[in-house]
Amino acid sequence: MTSSNRSSSIDQRVIIFDTTLRDGEQSPGASMNLDEKVRIAAQLEEMGVDVIEAGFPIASPGDFEAVKRVAQTVKRTTVCGLARATKADIERCAEAVKPAPRGRIHTFISTSPLHMKFKLQMEPEKVYQAVIDSVSHARRFTDDVEWSAEDGSRTEHDFLCRCVEAAIAAGAGTINIPDTVGYAVPEEYAALIGMLFNRVPNIDKAIISVHCHNDLGLAVANSLAAVGAGARQIECTVNGLGERAGNAAMEEIVMALRTRHDRLPYVTGIKSESIMKASHLVSQITGFVVQPNKAIVGANAFAHESGIHQDGVLKHAGTYEIMTPESVGLNRSKLVLGKLSGSAAFKAKLKELGIDLGDNALKDAFKRFKDLADRKRDIYDEDIVTLVEDETLRASDTLRFVSLDVHCGSKAPPKATLEMEMDGRLLSATASGDGPVDATFNAIKELFPHEARLQLYQVSAVTEGTDAQAEVSVRLEENGKTVNGQGADTDTLVASAKAYVNAINKLVVKRTRSAPQALSA
Ligand code: KIV
Ligand code: ZN
């Protein structure tokens, strides 16, 4: 089939395969715990993602458990696990995705000369046989098998065609051609996909997928070019998270297809209005702040600073806005509630924000809202979301922040007195430090001695104004394991203490789990 008649006859629906929980988690420092992965998966399902790659089950018991929990939680979306081309990997993966109403095994092996020779140290014929064996083995557990040619974009065409044909013949319904090292340029990558359509005889029996890394900043462009050449699945991540420079950003793919439908006549099943919510959730959980000028989800993506632009937008938004902020779920900060708002108004607002709380949680959240309203005059949508999220984060903490009293300024060294609940006991410690944050963290160390290194301390404001809530992320590292903690409060130091204590709680859980094996994918 030639590319021209193919584009008029094939379906224009593009499958969105999200790998935030797998490739995204491979970003150094972006570790997520079990509950956090389940929360992200629920958000991905809610926004209409077709396939969630939930992890690499053989990598560690934690990865296995996460894939299994996501498989147990998600109802409509396909849940996928990654497996190398070995029986052990595939069987572990099959077990993890088994509870899912729709489960997929994604098995892969490198096919480029460089990877086969140096990484796998395998002859091409052995790799070819492994493709057949791995796909056939995976098909014993599920009808939904995806096969990936790792480093596909640097693979010799003849060999790639042979492997793709063999994988399809062995039963793979999806064939993924990754640009593993982000080396391809759009025209070349589209030609590679077109070449497969022209040369692989059974190609019509599979969906062709693309998985692009962003080392040259071309991941989204390459993915879109491949769709033009016939690919119908894009593998991507929220906020472009992923190995090294990351993967293609889901929000950019979705909005490019939506905004430039005239030139890119393809559709996804994503509710674009959920994009900001997903972006914020992933950023908050991983501690990976979105750069302000990031396309679609950056804080400045819809901000107009220059007078000329502001004037234009006021006269007609289309002068400088190619998509509406609302289309990505960015509702202009709305003043919602204040000190005098009652529980009925609070409940109605939660409903409007899509937040569903049980009776007890609702009572607690209302109490915290009243406390917040005492300290902050104007309460915005973002404040309510943060307030609810902050409590969700702490729900399973065994060490709990209770109170903080800090003395600082230019006259005396800073001193922090912290109260923390540990195993039901209220403990208190006072410490000094190089600044108020250092003193606060030292007080935590007095109560809970540890050797973990602080890798990241980051503060952002939830809304504008000096009375805004501060959202703090803390990343700790201990023996190669990293955890991210979060906290929010109108007081930056309280938010910092909450974030540090949250990170310590995660570290304690992580210490009890065995270390992940070093795996490459
Ligand atoms: O980048 C890559 O090649 C991958 C594969 C495992 C799909 O992540
Ligand atoms: Zn990848």
Side-chain angles (χ1 to χ4, degrees):
M1 198 190 274
T2 65
S3 1
S4 57
N5 67 19
R6 186 173 58 249
S7 60
S8 59
S9 64
I10 54 176
D11 188 6
Q12 304 303 286
R13 173 71 156 77
V14 173
I15 295 166
I16 295 294
F17 175 115
D18 182 279
T19 182
T20 307
L21 300 179
R22 199 278 297 169
D23 215 320
E25 211 209 11
Q26 287 175 212
S27 314
S31 67
M32 311 167 207
N33 68 24
L34 201 75
D35 289 341
E36 291 167 342
K37 286 187 179 176
V38 172
R39 280 174 68 205
I40 292 177
Q43 173 61 40
L44 295 173
E45 172 163 59
E46 196 267 325
M47 74 193 289
V49 163
D50 300 288
V51 186
I52 296 173
E53 186 164 55
F56 197 169
I58 197 128
S60 70
D63 251 60
F64 174 83
E65 212 40 54
V67 177
K68 193 166 162 195
R69 274 275 301 278
V70 171
Q72 286 163 340
T73 312
V74 160
K75 297 284 168 278
R76 301 175 303 277
T77 307
T78 298
V79 178
C80 172
L82 187 67
R84 289 168 301 185
T86 69
K87 282 193 170 166
D89 272 47
I90 291 167
E91 286 164 19
R92 192 80 173 132
C93 181
E95 204 185 327
V97 299
K98 202 157 133 198
R102 296 159 198 256
R104 173 179 295 188
I105 297 176
H106 177 191
T107 181
F108 74 100
I109 191 162
S110 291
T111 50
S112 69
L114 197 66
H115 276 220
M116 289 192 291
K117 183 163 179 204
F118 294 103
K119 183 182 123 169
L120 297 177
Q121 298 180 338
M122 275 168 85
E123 289 302 320
E125 284 317 302
K126 284 260 181 305
V127 170
Y128 177 75
Q129 192 54 47
V131 173
I132 299 170
D133 294 345
S134 57
V135 173
S136 310
H137 194 59
R139 275 301 302 264
R140 294 175 53 188
F141 303 98
T142 170
D143 290 344
D144 192 348
V145 173
E146 170 169 337
W147 176 74
S148 278
E150 190 182 5
D151 208 17
S153 60
R154 294 193 299 172
T155 297
E156 284 170 354
H157 289 191
D158 288 353
F159 188 61
L160 187 62
C161 288
R162 277 185 71 211
C163 289
V164 168
E165 185 181 352
I168 298 173
T174 303
I175 298 292
N176 185 38
I177 310 295
D179 181 27
T180 303
V181 290
Y183 181 71
V185 295
E187 208 184 323
E188 173 194 33
Y189 194 54
L192 177 70
I193 302 299
M195 182 280 295
L196 292 174
F197 274 101
N198 287 326
R199 289 187 49 191
V200 176
N202 55 358
I203 194 105
D204 58 321
K205 306 256 180 324
I207 302 277
I208 299 304
S209 167
V210 288
H211 174 114
C212 298
H213 279 270
N214 206 27
D215 301 65
L216 293 174
L218 292 170
V220 170
N222 284 336
S223 305
L224 295 175
V227 168
R232 285 297 175 272
Q233 174 175 287
I234 298 181
E235 303 197 354
C236 49
T237 55
V238 174
N239 297 339
L241 218 61
E243 282 265 9
R244 305 181 309 279
N247 289 67
M250 189 226 282
E251 60 278 5
E252 295 178 25
I253 302 273
V254 169
M255 291 316 286
L257 293 180
R258 186 173 155 163
T259 309
R260 294 310 311 274
H261 193 71
D262 56 330
R263 300 301 299 236
L264 302 163
Y266 313 100
V267 291
T268 71
I270 301 293
K271 286 183 223 153
S272 65
E273 294 75 14
S274 299
I275 282 176
M276 286 309 297
K277 200 170 164 193
S279 166
H280 182 253
L281 183 66
V282 170
S283 159
Q284 193 213 24
I285 284 176
T286 57
F288 274 50
V289 177
V290 175
Q291 77 192 57
N293 58 329
K294 160 87 178 62
I296 318 294
V297 290
N300 293 348
F302 293 91
H304 304 283
E305 183 68 25
S306 101
I308 297 174
H309 287 205
Q310 283 171 352
D311 183 54
V313 168
L314 286 174
K315 287 178 176 143
H316 189 294
T319 49
Y320 290 101
E321 272 181 4
I322 58 167
M323 52 203 154
T324 64
E326 289 77 14
S327 65
V328 300
L330 190 71
N331 298 316
R332 312 229 183 245
S333 279
K334 274 190 281 172
L335 177 60
V336 286
L337 303 170
K339 209 174 167 150
L340 300 176
S341 308
S343 63
F346 182 67
K347 203 170 164 180
K349 179 42 89 181
L350 289 181
K351 196 165 173 220
E352 188 191 315
L353 293 170
I355 300 170
D356 191 14
L357 297 178
D359 283 350
N360 285 344
L362 181 71
K363 251 194 216 149
D364 286 353
F366 182 63
K367 189 176 165 302
R368 287 197 312 279
F369 157 71
K370 282 294 201 187
D371 288 347
L372 181 63
D374 273 340
R375 288 177 287 146
K376 186 174 189 297
R377 199 170 57 99
D378 301 332
I379 310 277
Y380 297 89
D381 283 359
E382 294 90 327
D383 289 315
I384 306 272
V385 172
T386 306
L387 180 129
V388 174
E389 274 178 357
D390 192 53
E391 196 54 21
T392 315
L393 280 172
R394 252 155 275 290
S396 52
D397 283 2
T398 48
L399 275 68
R400 295 183 78 88
F401 166 86
V402 176
S403 74
L404 178 69
D405 186 22
V406 180
H407 292 269
C408 60
S410 56
K411 289 193 173 160
K415 207 167 74 175
T417 302
L418 178 101
E419 282 186 314
M420 208 158 81
E421 205 183 277
M422 280 167 73
D423 303 322
R425 285 173 309 142
L426 185 66
L427 304 173
S428 166
T430 298
S432 54
D434 287 340
V437 176
D438 195 43
T440 302
F441 292 176
N442 286 342
I444 297 174
K445 275 187 209 151
E446 290 271 326
L447 293 180
F448 188 84
H450 58 274
E451 293 298 318
R453 271 188 332 110
L454 181 67
Q455 276 195 332
L456 173 94
Y457 168 70
Q458 200 161 255
V459 184
S460 54
V462 175
T463 55
E464 287 171 6
T466 48
D467 68 346
Q469 287 192 84
E471 226 175 357
V472 175
S473 288
V474 160
R475 182 173 303 142
L476 297 179
E477 187 266 332
E478 186 185 71
N479 300 329
K481 294 175 187 170
T482 56
V483 288
N484 291 296
Q486 295 86 25
D489 201 275
T490 47
D491 185 315
T492 307
L493 293 171
V494 171
S496 306
K498 283 182 174 180
Y500 200 103
V501 173
N502 184 234
I504 294 281
N505 275 285
K506 290 179 181 170
L507 202 62
V508 170
V509 174
K510 212 156 199 181
R511 278 177 184 169
T512 61
R513 303 232 165 102
S514 64
Q517 297 160 22
L519 290 178
S520 78

